[in-house]
Amino acid sequence: MQTVTLNNGVEMPILGFGVFQIPLEETEQAVTDALAAGYRLLDTAASYGNEEAVGRAIKNSGIPRGDLFVTTKLYVQDAPAERNTKRAFETSLTKLGLDHLDLYLMHQPYGDVYGQWRAMQDLNRTGLAKAIGVANFYPDRLLDLIFNNEITPAVNQIETHPFFQRADYQTLMREHGVQIQSWGGFAEGKNNLFTNPVLSEIAAKHGKSVAQVVLRWLTQRDVIAIPKSVRPERMAENLDVFDFELTDDQLATIATLDTGASLFFDHHDPEMVTWLSKRRLDS
C-alpha cells in the first residue's frame, strides 16, 4: 500500500476503509471483511455510533496493532472544551479497545475550536494520538487555526470528488503542510457518477470500473481516500487501483467535471451551522 508522510513524520496509507453510514448491525462484519481484503487504514467517528463494532473487528482480526492505522473523530464539545475533549477521546479509545489512535480529527469547525485543539495538542504530545487534524475546515478556519496554535493539523478531511475537486485548496494546504483527505469520494453516487460518460470512457480504456478510476484519480493527486462498502468483492475492487495510471489528458478531462460546489451541505449555511453546533451525542 502506498503511504503519505504527514507533517510530523507519521506514515499514513493513501487508501483506506470508511464506515460512515454503514448500518450498525453490519459494521463489524464489514470491517472484518475489509481487513481480510487488505485494508489497514480504518476511519470512523464518535458521531457514527459504531466505534465499538470497529473495535471488535480489530480485536478479532488478530492483525498486529502496529500494522493498523486507526482514525476517529471528535464531535463538538460543550464547555469546558479542553476537559470534555479529553473525556471524549478516552471514551472513543475505550469503545475501540485501543491504547492509542493513529489520527484524531476534530470533526466540525464549531464550538470552542481553540479549547478542543489545545486538548488535542496535549493528546498528541503524550503520544495517545500519534497525529491530530481536522475535518470540514474551509481555508479561513484552517489558516486561523494554524496561525494561532502550536501544532499544525496533519490532515484536513473534506468533501472531495470529481464534482467538487478542491484543487486550489489542496495547493494551499500543501503550502502549509496539511494533508488533504477525501470524504464522499464517490459523491454517494450523486450526479449519476457511476454512469458518467467522461468517467465511463476513461474506465473502459483502462479495463477498470468508474469507481476504480475515481479512486486512482484521488490517489494519483495524493489525496487520501476512504471508500466504504459492505460487499467483499467491491472492497477488493476498490483496493485494486495501483496497476494503472491516468494520463495528463485524462486528468484534464476529469477536471472539467468540477462544479466548484458541495453536493451535500454548506458549512457556511446558518441553518447547517445551527444544527451541527447544537447537535450532541449520547454518551
Side-chain angles (χ1 to χ4, degrees):
M1 173 60 64
Q2 295 180 13
T3 62
V4 296
T5 303
L6 304 182
N7 59 20
N8 63 352
V10 169
E11 293 287 324
M12 182 175 181
I14 200 167
L15 184 59
F17 186 74
V19 298
F20 178 56
Q21 291 184 332
I22 293 180
L24 181 58
E25 65 275 11
E26 298 180 39
T27 300
E28 183 177 351
Q29 186 61 55
V31 176
T32 296
D33 292 339
L35 292 172
Y39 291 89
R40 293 298 179 264
L41 163 60
L42 301 175
D43 181 278
T44 184
S47 69
Y48 300 169
N50 56 20
E51 289 172 314
E52 290 175 302
V54 173
R56 288 194 299 270
I58 291 172
K59 180 180 179 180
N60 294 332
S61 72
I63 297 171
R65 176 66 182 90
D67 292 346
L68 297 174
F69 193 104
V70 182
T71 301
T72 194
K73 307 178 191 74
L74 169 78
Y75 204 72
V76 180
Q77 296 299 300
D78 291 318
E82 290 185 57
R83 185 176 69 196
N84 286 331
T85 293
K86 292 179 179 179
R87 182 181 297 137
F89 177 87
E90 292 168 0
T91 298
S92 287
L93 210 58
T94 298
K95 288 182 176 181
L96 287 163
L98 302 176
D99 61 4
H100 73 276
L101 285 175
D102 299 283
L103 177 63
Y104 196 42
L105 300 180
M106 190 186 307
H107 205 160
Q108 302 293 345
Y110 303 128
D112 182 3
V113 170
Y114 282 89
Q116 292 172 157
W117 191 249
R118 283 192 295 268
M120 291 172 67
Q121 290 182 142
D122 287 345
L123 293 168
N124 180 233
R125 293 188 187 101
T126 62
L128 289 171
K130 301 300 181 183
I132 55 175
V134 296
N136 299 305
F137 272 57
Y138 274 71
D140 55 341
R141 297 271 184 153
L142 181 66
L143 291 179
D144 178 68
L145 195 70
I146 291 171
F147 294 150
N148 293 288
N149 287 279
E150 295 179 23
I151 297 177
T152 294
V155 169
N156 186 14
Q157 185 182 118
I158 56 175
E159 178 187 350
T160 313
H161 49 72
F163 307 119
F164 194 24
Q165 300 187 10
R166 319 303 287 272
D168 290 344
Y169 192 16
Q170 181 179 5
T171 298
L172 178 67
M173 283 190 274
R174 185 180 290 119
E175 291 172 355
H176 291 275
V178 181
Q179 170 65 46
I180 184 174
Q181 181 177 15
S182 162
W183 66 255
F186 296 146
E188 296 185 4
K190 292 178 183 292
N191 287 4
N192 298 313
L193 178 137
F194 294 111
T195 56
N196 179 272
V198 168
L199 299 174
S200 296
E201 182 178 352
I202 293 172
K205 288 181 178 179
H206 289 281
K208 295 289 186 177
S209 68
V210 167
Q212 288 172 312
V213 166
V214 171
L215 291 174
R216 189 67 186 110
W217 169 75
L218 287 167
T219 56
Q220 202 167 312
R221 287 180 54 201
D222 296 323
V223 178
I224 298 170
I226 45 170
K228 69 173 173 65
S229 178
V230 296
R231 296 166 52 188
E233 67 275 14
R234 185 61 55 81
M235 296 175 191
E237 177 185 301
N238 288 344
L239 273 181
D240 185 23
V241 297
F242 297 105
D243 60 348
F244 74 105
E245 188 164 317
L246 302 174
T247 67
D248 289 342
D249 286 345
Q250 289 170 341
L251 293 172
T253 301
I254 294 173
T256 66
L257 300 177
D258 191 9
T259 68
S262 170
L263 294 186
F264 296 94
F265 51 82
D266 183 357
H267 278 77
H268 299 114
D269 177 8
E271 290 188 7
M272 181 56 62
V273 174
T274 300
W275 185 80
L276 289 170
S277 296
K278 290 186 175 182
R279 178 174 179 250
R280 291 296 179 267
L281 306 181
D282 294 332
S283 59

